[in-house]
């Protein structure tokens, strides 16, 4: 039995939506149990009705507009703080939350702790590509600035995750840059390139923005500032295209019929781009898997996130990352 702790209080859609996702995850996986962290009025009735769910009653919530570190220190009974502590104490093997990104990262880093030797944890997400290919991209926002040696660790962590999440045997690594040539990029990008080339990490060269949704690389690494901008740009483009198609559908009956026929395919693509297939981004480099869902995660996305977290725990992802980085350091 694999136990995942779920913080139900931070979602924009409210605890009810998160609990629907937890219920769906329990129904889909007979070997899953869930430690449900949140207010008594939500978690106690839910756990009484669902076998495999256990309540972790908390009295505080860290909201989106609060300073993460300060809130972590002062709100000891916040759901995300207690959830991270439960994982640290061995009550659960992983954590899912759709709460404040800053709060989740802070609670996970300080409450669960980093793998020995890992300098910075990183947010990663398998991005969809052509022919069913998925490219693991990191960092997506955990670290705005990183040194070259950290980028090399990101490459090793990304490769370990690509093996677990995508089944890729020998993942290739690219560095997100403004050109494929080795001489392209800022001074920092050139330093990243040099470190990766010497890092024995599957590095095969620079990746351009067009490579993110292709099948050219298995892993693409960058700093959290660039990665977050790139991800949000992709999400924004997807929303724009869907909006334009909806607008065009209303312009004529013929176009409307065509748009209706395309709707299932468009929804599938939108789900892939939003990360709903995996429930969100995973925080790599910690002693246990942590999946960070969108604040607006649907029940379906929560289900995917909980199941993805359980899969990572069963695959011993932290162990695989520790082994990969230990070998790299020798």
């Amino acid at each position: 039995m694999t136990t995942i702790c779920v913080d139900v209080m931070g979602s924009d859609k409210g605890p009810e939506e998160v609990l629907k996702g937890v219920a769906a995850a329990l129904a889909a996986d007979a070997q899953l149990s869930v430690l449900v962290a949140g207010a008594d009025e939500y978690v106690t009735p839910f756990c009484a009705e669902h076998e495999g769910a256990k309540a972790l009653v908390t009295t505080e919530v860290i909201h989106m507009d609060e300073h993460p570190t300060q809130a972590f220190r002062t709100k000891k009974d916040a759901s995300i703080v207690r959830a991270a502590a439960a994982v640290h104490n061995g009550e659960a093997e992983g954590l899912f939350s759709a709460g404040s990104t800053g709060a989740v990262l802070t609670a996970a880093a300080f409450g669960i702790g980093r793998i020995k030797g890992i300098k910075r944890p990183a947010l990663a997400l398998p991005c969809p590509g052509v022919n069913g290919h998925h490219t693991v991209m990191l960092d997506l926002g955990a670290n705005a600035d990183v040194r070259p040696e950290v980028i090399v660790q990101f490459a090793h962590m990304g490769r370990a995750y690509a093996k677990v999440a995508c089944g890729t045997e020998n993942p290739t690594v690219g560095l997100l840059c403004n050109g494929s040539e080795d001489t392209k990029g800022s001074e920092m990008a050139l330093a990243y390139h040099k470190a990766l080339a010497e890092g024995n990490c599957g590095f095969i060269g620079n990746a351009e923005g067009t490579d993110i949704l292709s099948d050219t690389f298995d892993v693409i690494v960058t700093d959290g500032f660039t990665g977050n901008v790139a991800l949000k740009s992709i999400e924004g483009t997807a929303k724009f295209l869907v909006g334009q198609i909806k607008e065009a559908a209303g312009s004529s009956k013929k176009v409307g019929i065509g748009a209706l026929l395309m709707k299932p395919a468009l929804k599938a693509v939108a789900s892939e781009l939003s990360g709903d297939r995996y429930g969100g981004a995973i925080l790599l480099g910690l002693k246990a898997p942590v999946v960070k869902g969108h604040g607006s995660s649907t029940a379906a996305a929560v289900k995917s996130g909980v199941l993805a977290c359980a899969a990572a725990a069963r695959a011993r992802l932290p162990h695989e990352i520790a082994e990969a980085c230990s070998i790299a350091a020798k």
Side-chain angles (χ1 to χ4, degrees), residues 184-262:
K184 282 291 184 75
S186 63
E187 289 186 12
M188 184 56 75
L190 292 172
Y192 288 162
H193 189 284
K194 183 176 185 296
L196 288 165
E198 298 172 353
N200 190 28
C201 58
F203 181 62
I204 61 172
N206 287 344
E208 297 184 90
T210 52
D211 292 315
I212 297 173
L213 302 181
S214 72
D215 59 354
T216 311
F217 299 91
D218 299 312
V219 177
I220 293 178
V221 294
T222 185
D223 59 81
F225 177 86
T226 306
N228 189 266
V229 170
L231 180 66
K232 294 296 174 63
S233 297
I234 292 171
E235 291 177 345
T237 300
K239 289 179 181 178
F240 171 77
L241 290 174
V242 170
Q244 290 297 101
I245 291 171
K246 286 181 178 178
E247 185 177 327
S251 64
S252 74
K253 186 175 181 180
K254 185 177 181 179
V255 176
I257 293 172
L260 185 62
L261 293 173
M262 289 178 63

Side-chain angles (χ1 to χ4, degrees), residues 8 52 89 96 131 138 266 293 318:
V8 305
N89 295 334
F96 173 86
N131 301 318
L138 70 161
L266 290 172

